[in-house]
Amino acid sequence: MASLPAGFLRLVNCLLICVTLSLSSAKSNHRPNIVLILTDDLDISNGGLTPLSKTKKLIGDAGISFLNAFVASPLCCPSRASILTGKYPHNHHVVNNTLEGNCSSIAWQKTEEGHTFPALLKSFAGYQTFFAGKYLNQYGHLEAGGVEHVPPGWNHWVGLEKNSKYYNYTLSVNGIAQKHGSDYGKDYLTDVLANQSLDFLEHKFNFQPFFMMVSVPAPHSPWTAAPQYQNRFNTTKAPEVQISTFMERTSTVLDNAFRRRWTTLLSVDDLVEKIVKQLEVRGELDNTYVFFTSDNGYHTGQFSLPLDKRQLYDFDIRVPLMVRGPLIKPNQTSQMLVANVDLGPTMLDIAGYNVSKTQMDGMSFLPIMEGLMNSSSWRTDILVEYEGEGSNVSDPACPLLGPGVSECFPDCVCEDSYNNTYACVRTVAPSANLQYCEFDDNEVFVEVYNMTADPFQLTNVARSIEQEVLEKMNRRLMMLQSCSGQSCRTPGVYDPRYKFDPRQMFINHSWPHSRLRQKII
């Protein structure tokens, strides 16, 4: 066989070198992938991370844990809407878990749904996108388009119809209903979501960055554990300090709920491990940001409140947030104040999209994760707002308590949060760690907590602190409730000339009085 000319061989070698350099450059310039794992009702104040040992090792220890991460509203649908839009509830107008409260309604679809951060990642940043799990509580409702409706922004859609379940549910698989029963091997939702996620990673396009959002049911009720985990934590009890005011029957119910919540999280821990390991096997882990958080916290007995999440206290509004990814050093913790309205801006920033082009209220905390931001140049406060559903129905088991209570336990230990409407400023700064809240009621009740001296929020100091502090916090609250976009990201400013229209938040309530009080009565 005749030998090839030397010039031809040099040309082939040159071409091979060019192709190799080109592929290497493409790989090094490949925009990071992003994974968001969202739990449902996972607290951090009550030991919620205890069952998640693998998650803490694979994400928290491998990256950064935020110790002051909060939600804009401690309720599933408003909080999830804030995550998707990067907006406070008074701007995305999802106020509770009902269609009437704008949860996955036609109005939401026409106004906000097309402008979520996944839609921007897909349309303008060129990401392939995947969603699996719980979306918004009323998703799939016939009055909102049914499961045939696939929200814009998703290449691959596996959406749960309505609220969290573990068995006997319907998924929308790219708009086609897929019903599931009660066979653990085929139907346990957390495992189904894990398998769907692995399938996406196996078959996605490798030349295109991806965003994957996995929204698991746990540890939301009905707290159904996988069979192999049902008997774990059998001796675990809710901390006694929280249930000392309850009678024995109520304490037993709380202990049972507490341990069942934990057992559901063991399958979440497995899901996280599977996803991280699959990314590692595929050689993609080093170029992927993995976020782990919750839509709100939860309480199991604190302040004689049985089981729910709609309260203004830290156990309901503070959530776990752990992130690993490129340029994030391992074993970090941060005290800086972040909120779920910041998740969208942060992920857009990771993708190289200019967040200032959006109307998002949050801000990117990517500089914090990369060690490029200190507390002196970061925000000092965030807004928390919740609008009650205004129910006039009484619990038939506890008629003497009147309307508005719910979730009644033995001995008529009930929740009163369904009818509450409030707004708070949560401040975390080197000089102050405070919470200031106003209720929309006849007296505009005020609660103020010094979180440094009183971390468990046992003493309302609204009547004892300086009037000047009250007035400043009141004005700051008014500003934040009227903010939009850039004005939500300003540092703590207390402008006495600021005018406030309370109808922007409390849209279903009358306001016959002025909210700027001259004194606390």
Side-chain angles (χ1 to χ4, degrees):
M1 181 177 176
S3 60
L4 294 173
F8 179 79
L9 291 175
R10 284 194 298 271
L11 177 61
V12 170
N13 287 335
C14 182
L15 288 173
L16 288 173
I17 292 172
C18 290
V19 168
T20 301
L21 289 174
S22 177
L23 289 174
S24 175
S25 176
K27 184 175 181 179
S28 63
N29 292 327
H30 187 62
R31 281 170 294 172
N33 308 305
I34 307 168
V35 175
L36 170 59
I37 300 170
L38 180 65
T39 54
D40 196 348
D41 289 359
L42 176 61
D43 66 275
I44 193 169
S45 299
N46 206 17
L49 289 179
T50 303
L52 296 165
S53 58
K54 291 182 284 192
T55 300
K56 289 185 288 185
K57 178 181 178 181
L58 294 171
I59 303 180
D61 293 350
I64 186 169
S65 297
F66 288 89
L67 305 182
N68 287 305
F70 293 87
V71 296
S73 188
L75 186 61
C76 296
C77 205
S79 179
R80 289 163 182 268
S82 287
I83 291 172
L84 291 165
T85 63
K87 295 180 179 181
Y88 286 119
H90 70 265
N91 286 327
H92 62 58
H93 304 295
V94 177
V95 295
N96 57 47
N97 288 344
T98 67
L99 272 181
E100 295 77 14
N102 206 28
C103 180
S104 202
S105 66
I106 295 296
W108 153 267
Q109 295 171 20
K110 289 182 177 179
T111 56
E112 299 294 335
E113 199 167 57
H115 304 285
T116 62
F117 81 85
L120 295 175
L121 285 175
K122 178 177 180 289
S123 299
F124 297 102
Y127 275 63
Q128 53 189 321
T129 56
F130 167 85
F131 181 89
K134 177 178 173 180
Y135 178 57
L136 301 175
N137 296 56
Q138 297 299 328
Y139 171 76
H141 197 291
L142 292 178
E143 294 181 20
V147 295
E148 293 78 17
H149 171 69
V150 176
W154 302 102
N155 296 108
H156 307 278
W157 174 259
V158 185
L160 174 68
E161 181 188 34
K162 298 186 179 177
N163 206 2
S164 283
K165 293 182 179 180
Y166 298 82
Y167 293 111
N168 301 305
Y169 55 85
T170 298
L171 295 175
S172 169
V173 181
N174 296 320
I176 299 174
Q178 182 184 94
K179 294 187 179 297
H180 285 259
S182 55
D183 183 329
Y184 170 71
K186 298 186 297 183
D187 301 316
Y188 190 69
L189 182 56
T190 306
D191 292 351
V192 168
L193 299 180
N195 293 334
Q196 290 277 357
S197 302
L198 298 181
D199 189 60
F200 167 74
L201 291 175
E202 184 68 27
H203 295 101
K204 64 178 177 58
F205 296 123
N206 292 329
F207 59 84
Q208 193 178 4
F210 68 86
F211 168 67
M212 183 167 72
M213 182 171 179
V214 186
S215 181
V216 298
H220 195 286
S221 61
W223 312 312
T224 308
Q228 67 271 28
Y229 295 137
Q230 287 178 350
N231 294 321
R232 295 282 288 273
F233 309 119
N234 271 352
T235 60
T236 301
K237 294 184 177 182
E240 291 183 5
V241 66
Q242 298 167 7
I243 61 175
S244 59
T245 60
F246 290 101
M247 297 184 70
E248 185 176 352
R249 287 188 296 158
T250 301
S251 300
T252 301
V253 174
L254 287 173
D255 288 340
N256 182 56
F258 191 87
R259 66 173 65 100
R260 289 178 65 194
R261 281 169 50 81
W262 276 18
T263 58
T264 67
L265 288 169
L266 295 173
S267 293
V268 177
D269 212 29
D270 293 339
L271 174 146
V272 170
E273 181 183 44
K274 290 174 184 176
I275 290 175
V276 171
K277 294 299 184 183
Q278 179 77 338
L279 289 168
E280 186 175 32
V281 167
R282 294 180 56 83
E284 296 175 315
L285 184 58
D286 290 343
N287 195 40
T288 301
Y289 287 86
V290 183
F291 292 72
F292 181 91
T293 190
S294 178
D295 57 359
N296 47 254
Y298 203 75
H299 56 260
T300 52
Q302 295 100 320
F303 300 167
S304 296
L305 300 167
L307 295 168
D308 198 48
K309 61 277 188 109
R310 293 166 170 82
Q311 300 287 359
L312 55 90
Y313 308 107
D314 258 27
F315 44 70
D316 286 355
I317 65 173
R318 187 193 296 265
V319 292
L321 175 59
M322 299 179 284
V323 192
R324 67 171 295 164
L327 303 180
I328 301 178
K329 295 179 180 179
N331 296 305
Q332 290 190 78
T333 59
S334 173
Q335 296 280 356
M336 284 192 264
L337 178 64
V338 296
N340 62 350
V341 294
D342 301 327
L343 290 170
T346 301
M347 295 182 200
L348 290 175
D349 194 10
I350 288 171
Y353 186 83
N354 188 349
V355 181
S356 65
K357 293 181 179 180
T358 75
Q359 294 299 312
M360 293 183 174
D361 304 331
M363 53 199 298
S364 170
F365 54 80
L366 180 60
I368 296 177
M369 297 193 293
E370 294 181 344
L372 303 177
M373 179 75 67
N374 57 47
S375 59
S376 63
S377 52
W378 187 247
R379 70 140 77 86
T380 57
D381 55 29
I382 59 164
L383 175 68
V384 180
E385 46 194 358
Y386 169 74
E387 181 168 336
E389 297 180 18
S391 171
N392 290 319
V393 178
S394 300
D395 190 303
C398 306
L400 296 180
L401 296 179
V405 297
S406 59
E407 308 296 320
C408 291
F409 272 37
D411 312 309
C412 286
V413 176
C414 306
E415 289 286 339
D416 65 350
S417 57
Y418 275 73
N419 284 355
N420 286 343
T421 293
Y422 60 79
C424 306
V425 178
R426 185 66 173 86
T427 302
V428 176
S431 59
N433 189 355
L434 298 172
Q435 182 164 350
Y436 173 94
C437 301
E438 295 181 7
F439 284 84
D440 175 29
D441 54 23
N442 290 334
E443 57 179 310
V444 192
F445 190 76
V446 176
E447 293 191 23
V448 184
Y449 298 98
N450 181 340
M451 303 298 295
T452 301
D454 181 24
F456 297 108
Q457 296 171 282
L458 299 176
T459 304
N460 179 8
V461 296
R463 296 176 184 269
S464 60
I465 63 173
E466 297 86 350
Q467 179 68 22
E468 180 184 2
V469 174
L470 282 177
E471 292 183 359
K472 285 184 175 181
M473 296 303 292
N474 170 265
R475 294 183 183 118
R476 182 59 179 161
L477 178 60
M478 292 193 293
M479 292 178 69
L480 283 173
Q481 282 190 272
S482 290
C483 76
S484 179
Q486 177 61 38
S487 63
C488 298
R489 303 191 288 270
T490 58
V493 176
Y494 312 98
D495 188 345
R497 300 167 299 174
Y498 199 84
K499 303 300 181 185
F500 172 62
D501 181 0
R503 292 170 296 180
Q504 292 194 40
M505 170 57 192
F506 302 121
I507 55 177
N508 295 325
H509 298 261
S510 60
W511 287 84
H513 48 265
S514 169
R515 300 181 71 232
L516 181 56
R517 294 162 309 288
Q518 298 305 311
K519 61 180 179 178
I520 300 297
I521 299 174

